[in-house]
Amino acid sequence: FLDTQPKAPRRLRGDLWDALSAPLTAEERDIPLARLPDSAQKKQLRVLQDAVAGVAAQLGIPDGILASRRTLEALLEGDDWPKSLHGWRRSLLEPVLAPLLSPATSTS
C-alpha cells in the first residue's frame, strides 16, 4: 500500500489524528488495562516455562510448540486451560503443570 501510494500516510494524517484524539466512550473506559506481573507472577511463569521446556526436551521438540509464554500467562490468569492447550498438549502438560498451578486452574 505505501509503495504504490507514497503520499497516503500524509493524506490519512487528519483521519488518524481524529481517531486518536476522540474521547473514549463509556464502553472503552470499562476495558481493563493490562497489568504488569509482580515478582511472584514472574517467578510462577518461569517455573511453568521451565516445566514446559523439560517436557519438550524429553520429546525432542522446541518448547514453543507445546506452550508459548503468552499461553502460559493465559493459563495463570484464567480459570481454565486455554484452548491452545487442549488435546495432545494438555495430555502431555497437565501432569507436569497441574501441581504447579492453583487448584481452580488445574481442575477444569
Side-chain angles (χ1 to χ4, degrees):
F1 178 76
L2 294 179
D3 292 335
T4 59
Q5 298 179 5
K7 294 184 182 185
R10 282 186 246 151
R11 282 189 303 209
L12 297 175
R13 176 178 44 203
D15 293 335
L16 182 59
W17 180 255
D18 291 342
L20 292 174
S21 61
L24 296 175
T25 66
E27 293 162 351
E28 292 169 331
R29 282 190 297 265
D30 289 338
I31 296 173
L33 298 175
R35 295 179 295 124
L36 293 175
D38 62 24
S39 61
Q41 290 168 325
K42 287 180 183 179
K43 184 178 179 182
Q44 190 174 18
L45 177 62
R46 178 40 91 203
V47 168
L48 294 180
Q49 287 175 313
D50 290 344
V52 169
V55 173
Q58 289 175 349
L59 297 171
I61 60 174
D63 52 335
I65 290 176
L66 285 179
S68 68
R69 177 185 175 153
R70 188 172 304 233
T71 299
L72 293 175
E73 288 171 343
L75 179 61
L76 285 173
E77 293 172 3
D79 295 331
D80 197 7
W81 286 67
K83 289 186 181 196
S84 60
L85 287 182
H86 283 263
W88 66 274
R89 286 178 176 89
R90 185 169 180 172
S91 66
L92 290 171
L93 294 175
E94 188 170 22
V96 177
L97 298 184
L100 304 174
L101 299 168
S102 64
T105 307
S106 61
T107 59
S108 296

